[in-house]
Amino acid sequence: MDQLSQVFDLVEVRGLVSGGFAVRGPWVSRGPIEEQLKFMALVSGRARLTTDGGDAELEPGDVVILNHRKWLRLEGGTGDGPRREIVPEENARLLEADLTADDIVVGGRIDLNPAGQALLFQALPPVAHVRATAAAANLRATVYRLFDEVSANRMGSTFAIRQHGQLLLLEVLRAYVDQTDLPAGWLRLLTDERLEPALSLMHAEPGKSWHLDELARIAAMSRTSFAERFRRVAGVPPLTYLNQWRMLLAQRALRDGDARVGELANDLGYGSESAFSTAFKRAVGESPLRYRYRVRSETAPGVGRALV
């Protein structure tokens, strides 16, 4: 499995479509933002987005991800007269929308489990504007496929909308990597070809006692060059990243599996259960057993999963 797919599985990232609208003539939509990560896709027309983290001029097929923003204003349309105030329709179906005449916006949120919050929050700027350029043809096609399901009334459309929401987020990150100088962090690390051989083995065998010399040799680099490049790209030293990866794996295992803490400690390369528990509490803020109890109680039937 490629590295980005592994991360998506671990953090349980989900792109969920929650609303949208289609309108003709001058319009404006504004209000507070309740989601920590919100996305908006402009299916047709042109619009200007303004928020407390910046602004963006949107064209058809563009997607914006808003990272911890408090409010937004979106305006567009042509013609005379005052702007019409638009309130996005929750669970919009947009059955009467016309791609050739309407400005069409579809929006939603990005959900993550607690293990994934820091990863994506750190990787994205306050306003991540991803353009549907010729090189991002898959992004534009995914936006249109999503709209096709939202505007249709076919059997299975609710399921299809969820799947296209997932694919939209994937295509947004792919295009974002190509269009942006990424800051140091996991997303930039996943795109670094020089470090990829070492990273792949760290992910494949997280319980092995990796040494810096061995990882450098796998990457065909000197020890010093490897360490410096890894820190520059990932923002942390190689063995610190390995420990962070182990903690992500541990959280998934505690959340979804029934392995004993001692078995998990051994699988992830810790010399004892106490050493693993200490490392886990330092990284997560609570003991492994307490974490397992809490996350399972939050997702138990009748309780519901807390949205981030």
Side-chain angles (χ1 to χ4, degrees), residues 223-236:
R223 186 180 189 276
T224 300
S225 296
F226 176 78
E228 290 177 351
R229 185 182 183 94
F230 199 103
R231 179 187 283 272
R232 184 173 68 252
V233 171
V236 294

Side-chain angles (χ1 to χ4, degrees), residues 10 115 119 189 199 202-203 205-211 215 230 234 236-251 264-265 267-271 275-276 278-284:
L10 277 176
L119 286 178
L189 177 62
L199 183 66
M202 292 165 71
H203 280 198
E205 300 181 60
K208 183 174 178 178
S209 180
W210 293 105
H211 297 286
L215 293 171
F230 199 103
V236 294
L239 299 185
T240 299
Y241 175 84
L242 177 60
N243 287 330
Q244 292 175 346
W245 181 248
R246 287 171 171 171
M247 290 299 103
L248 286 174
L249 294 173
Q251 288 174 76
L264 187 57
D267 290 344
L268 293 177
Y270 290 89
F276 167 71
T278 298
F280 188 92
K281 188 171 184 178
R282 185 186 305 118
V284 181

Side-chain angles (χ1 to χ4, degrees), residues 140-215:
R140 185 188 297 268
T142 302
V143 169
Y144 290 148
R145 283 195 295 268
L146 175 61
F147 165 73
D148 182 59
E149 289 294 340
V150 170
S151 62
N153 191 25
R154 296 190 291 264
M155 293 177 58
S157 61
T158 299
F159 176 81
I161 289 169
R162 288 200 301 268
Q163 302 308 306
H164 287 308
Q166 290 286 81
L167 291 174
L168 177 65
L169 179 57
L170 174 61
E171 293 299 341
V172 164
L173 288 181
R174 284 172 170 172
Y176 179 70
V177 165
D178 291 337
Q179 295 177 15
T180 308
D181 291 329
L182 296 171
W186 68 273
L187 191 56
R188 182 176 171 187
L189 177 62
L190 297 186
T191 68
D192 192 288
E193 295 182 357
R194 290 292 305 278
L195 298 175
E196 193 276 335
L199 183 66
S200 293
L201 286 180
M202 292 165 71
H203 280 198
E205 300 181 60
K208 183 174 178 178
S209 180
W210 293 105
H211 297 286
L212 196 58
D213 289 339
E214 187 177 13
L215 293 171

